[in-house]
Amino acid sequence: MRLISFVNAFLVIVALFYLVFERDALLAFAGREDSNPGTTSEAESSEIPAEDRHVIRVVAQRSVAREVDSAVTLRGQTRANREVEVLAETTSTVVSEPKRKGSFVEAGDLLCELDPGTRPASLAEATAAKLEAKSRVPEAEARLLEAHARVAEAEINLKAARKLSETGFGSETRRISSEAEMSTAQAGIKSAEAGLEATRAGIEAASAEVEAAEREIERQTIEAPFKGLLESDTAELGSLMQPGSLCATVIQLDPIKLVGFVPEADVNRIIVGSEASAQLISGLQVSGRVTFLSRSADETTRTFEVEITVPNPDLTIRDGQTADIRISAEGTKAHLLPQSALTLNNDGKVGVRTVGNGNIVDFLPVTLLRDTSEGVWVDGLPETADIIIVGQEFVTRGVMVEPTYRDAVQ
């Protein structure tokens, strides 16, 4: 037993020696290369002579690029096309029977009717004041005409007084008196004009009071602003309404909006007017068009809001439902590969290892476009490429392999 223990210890020591001091030789024997300093990197291994390379068996797939719809996918939710809280603009009590939530309303339908109170009397009073103000206009215009006539008379008297004074047949006192009469007549014109303007201003003020009274009467009937349905009951009969009190909430669900947020990397791929489709959490499939794309990013998430308008004539789509949205974008050619074919090089870049001329391994970086149940769509490869899908983790660039090909993913 003691001899067996010594043999086991010796074998362990030999194994550790080769793992630590002869690691390069072991890796070379296994067909791999050390990525640490002092060993051959992927870039340098392509210069290894053919006779020094070890042939490794791998499984490869000959992939041909295909046209793929590189749609922008995002998660969002439905939102009512319109939603408004209809509020009262005056103080009074409700005298109409309430409408219940869920009821359909047309634009202009009565939602809440308020007690008119003294509003009709105020309107009548304002109308009478307006008529009274208008009746004063002829009197003011007559005063203005009278003032102009006095000015004309005073002007004739003044001319006669000046001529008599110049020829010595009239006294200086008469001339001065005529000039004073002229000044008085001109002042009368200004007074008459001011009286006419005051009369007209009175008419404007009375008209404003009439309009205010009419507007106050209009406020006693609160109507639906657009076609939709009630999201809440209207105000109850007898409720006291004040300016800002809620009468009802009306929403419009046809059409309805799908709202989502697009990352910075994909925002330039979306164009207003592009076709879009979505699957609601209930499984319902809907389609529409992009009608809005924000120009300003959210400060927190750095994403851009996008809105899609979708027809909803039967109102099967509700406000606030979760939706998986796909927005059509310009197509591109890509390769469909098994997800297991992806690997990393020494620099940490995602890519695939391919079989090149002479069955020599090469590494090509790729860009992931979409992950599906059939595989991953990648870009960055040539039109046709032989992708290593089994054994790619055991080879590096420059290693010679013996590939076995299998059919591509359909």
Side-chain angles (χ1 to χ4, degrees), residues 126-186:
T127 303
K130 181 178 179 180
L131 292 175
E132 182 183 358
K134 286 183 176 180
S135 67
R136 295 174 184 171
V137 174
E139 181 182 355
E141 291 176 345
R143 287 177 182 175
L144 180 59
L145 291 175
E146 182 182 357
H148 281 288
R150 288 178 180 176
V151 168
E153 181 183 359
E155 186 177 2
I156 294 172
N157 293 333
L158 179 59
K159 287 180 180 180
R162 284 176 177 174
K163 286 183 180 181
L164 291 174
S165 178
E166 290 173 357
T167 57
F169 293 102
S171 64
E172 187 68 21
T173 304
R174 183 179 178 181
R175 183 185 65 80
I176 294 173
S177 177
S178 297
E179 289 178 353
E181 291 177 0
M182 182 64 177
S183 298
T184 302
Q186 290 175 342

Side-chain angles (χ1 to χ4, degrees), residues 52-63:
D52 295 337
R53 298 181 183 132
H54 297 273
V55 178
I56 301 175
R57 293 181 178 180
V58 295
V59 178
Q61 168 185 305
R62 180 154 296 170
S63 177

Side-chain angles (χ1 to χ4, degrees), residues 10 108 127 136 162 165 205 244 259 288 294 310 312 323 352 363:
F10 176 75
T127 303
R136 295 174 184 171
R162 284 176 177 174
S165 178
V259 181
S294 174
V310 175
N312 188 28
V352 294
F363 178 86

Side-chain angles (χ1 to χ4, degrees), residues 227-359:
K227 179 181 178 180
L229 57 87
L230 295 177
E231 188 67 9
S232 66
D233 293 341
T234 61
E236 188 60 59
L237 176 66
S239 299
L240 176 62
M241 305 292 286
Q242 295 179 343
S245 298
L246 178 64
C247 169
T249 301
V250 183
I251 62 174
Q252 186 183 71
L253 298 179
D254 183 27
I256 197 168
K257 296 178 182 178
L258 302 176
V259 181
F261 293 87
V262 185
E264 292 179 278
D266 296 329
V267 68
N268 289 333
R269 298 169 56 196
I270 298 178
I271 301 174
V272 175
S274 299
E275 295 183 355
S277 61
Q279 181 175 2
L280 304 184
I281 196 68
S282 61
L284 179 64
Q285 296 281 349
V286 296
S287 60
R289 289 187 177 275
V290 177
T291 54
F292 172 76
L293 179 61
S294 174
R295 293 285 179 177
S296 177
D298 184 271
E299 295 184 358
T300 304
T301 61
R302 309 307 302 168
T303 56
F304 295 82
E305 183 178 3
V306 59
E307 292 183 358
I308 300 153
T309 302
V310 175
N312 188 28
D314 52 0
L315 304 183
T316 54
I317 307 174
R318 302 175 183 271
D319 182 21
Q321 289 185 280
T322 304
D324 292 322
I325 304 171
R326 288 172 54 86
I327 302 175
S328 298
E330 185 178 355
T332 183
K333 282 196 170 183
H335 292 259
L336 180 61
L337 305 175
Q339 192 172 20
S340 59
L342 301 179
T343 186
L344 299 174
N345 67 354
N346 294 334
D347 297 327
K349 293 182 179 179
V350 178
V352 294
R353 290 192 169 92
T354 62
V355 179
N357 295 331
N359 291 342

